[in-house]
Amino acid sequence: MDIKEEWVILEEIKEALQNSDQSRAAENIQKYLNKVENIPLNIAITGETGSGKSTFVNAFRGIDKEDDGAAPTGVVETTMEVTPYPHPNYPNVTLWDLPGIGTDSFPAEQYLEHVGFEKFDFFIIICDTRFRENDVKLAQEIQKMGKKFYFVRSKIDNDVYNEKRSQREFNEETTLAQIREDCIKGLQKLGVKAPQVFLVSSFDLHLYDFRLLEETLERELPEHKRNALLFSMPNVSLEIINKKKKALKSKIKYYATLSAAVAAVPIPGISLVVDIGVIVGVSTKYVFAFGLDVPSLKKRSQTTGVPYEDLMDVILSPLAAKKITTDLIIKVVQSVGTTVASMATEEGCRFIPILGIRLAMAFSFTSTYNILSTFLDILADDAQRVFKKTLGLNTSV
């Protein structure tokens, strides 16, 4: 869905609400939310054989090479054809592992035609030593076709480790600056003007330049694709967690409005059922967005070496690391007295002549909005505590 289409749907929602057409408003809100959450994002990962493309694909998706659906990795070319790898939690986001450029099967001159360049939103060109002529040829062809590309220098952790062992007076920042400058000069010699190179370790995404890469991609993507990228990103910084929280917060008003629209239906009890259903679905999205589901937490424990139990110790929300069910939501909501009172008042308002339905709608909007805001705040705080715990930092937020 592009910006124009989004604007049209939002105008239809506004018009329906102004005309008190709650049914049409609810239908358009649901259509809007479905479209927003299913915007496709296709990311091409390419480079020469053995540069670490498949490892990057797995790291970006938050999975290990041993997991089901992982891209196969190895020291020789393991990608023999264009292979899609959907994100495990956001299937609208797909990373495409492309064959190494310059192989006999995929010569540089015919590479883009072979891989079907038109379906990709942008290209990430990866190398593990120096970018070569084939990489530059590819970048130039991508540019001619109006697509974005980004140079990623992989396996930086290996370089830092080797330099640290070989130098008496090792300085990490100096080493990183030298690697970056060497890559930039090499690309300039091959004809790339003002190249930007991101230094990345697929095993330690929170280090080096991955955060800068994320910021650059987000800035240069079309607006309607940015959230798709953001939610699929692993939580490698507190800033990404806060960005996710802000993006999720902006959608709460639509869920609350949907709840209010259903409250206009003059059937006792139906609004409460729908409210709880909405809260269950949205809360589940929050848990996955912040990586607080059990598989994500276990994966984070494995990759960081922090025991799973230690991560669980810093989590305060009763929704994290659990399957979100109606019974669980009702139990948690009941612990918030004012919210329960608001939902009960909503049902009571239905029996008030003339203004009853309008009052019920107002209470429905308020209670749903407040519940989702509260859940979002708590889960975002938990995500920050988990992130800090994995870095050995103070976990107070």
Side-chain angles (χ1 to χ4, degrees), residues 4 25 61 96 100 127 151 176 196 201 211 227 247-248 286 301 304 343 386:
K4 183 178 180 180
R61 296 160 65 229
W96 296 78
C127 87
F151 291 110
L176 294 174
Q196 189 174 11
S201 164
R211 182 176 61 82
N227 281 352
L248 292 167
Y286 292 171
S301 172
T304 62
M343 297 177 85
V386 167

Side-chain angles (χ1 to χ4, degrees), residues 58-181:
N58 291 335
F60 191 104
R61 296 160 65 229
I63 65 176
D64 188 76
K65 63 181 180 180
E66 304 297 334
D67 294 339
D68 291 340
T73 60
V75 295
V76 297
E77 178 61 33
T78 56
T79 306
M80 303 309 295
E81 59 184 21
V82 179
T83 308
Y85 291 98
H87 192 282
N89 295 332
Y90 298 93
N92 56 309
V93 178
T94 304
L95 278 78
W96 296 78
D97 193 1
L98 308 188
I101 185 173
T103 61
D104 292 338
S105 301
F106 291 88
E109 297 78 13
Q110 302 167 5
Y111 188 80
L112 287 178
E113 181 181 348
H114 276 296
V115 301
F117 78 96
E118 66 282 345
K119 64 174 165 283
F120 304 121
D121 290 288
F122 59 85
F123 291 74
I124 292 178
I125 304 172
I126 295 181
C127 87
D128 63 339
T129 51
R130 293 181 179 179
F131 292 98
R132 295 180 172 83
E133 188 176 356
N134 280 338
D135 298 313
V136 172
K137 283 182 180 178
L138 177 59
Q140 290 170 340
E141 290 302 314
I142 294 171
Q143 193 169 35
K144 286 179 186 177
M145 296 173 179
K147 299 279 187 175
K148 294 283 188 178
F149 62 88
Y150 305 91
F151 291 110
V152 167
R153 170 64 160 78
S154 65
K155 305 181 183 180
I156 291 300
D157 49 327
N158 290 343
D159 295 287
V160 170
Y161 176 75
N162 291 334
E163 287 295 310
K164 190 173 184 179
R165 291 189 64 187
S166 63
Q167 295 181 13
R168 286 187 177 181
E169 297 182 3
F170 170 76
N171 182 284
E172 183 173 297
E173 288 302 317
T174 300
T175 298
L176 294 174
Q178 289 172 345
I179 294 172
R180 187 180 290 106
E181 183 179 3

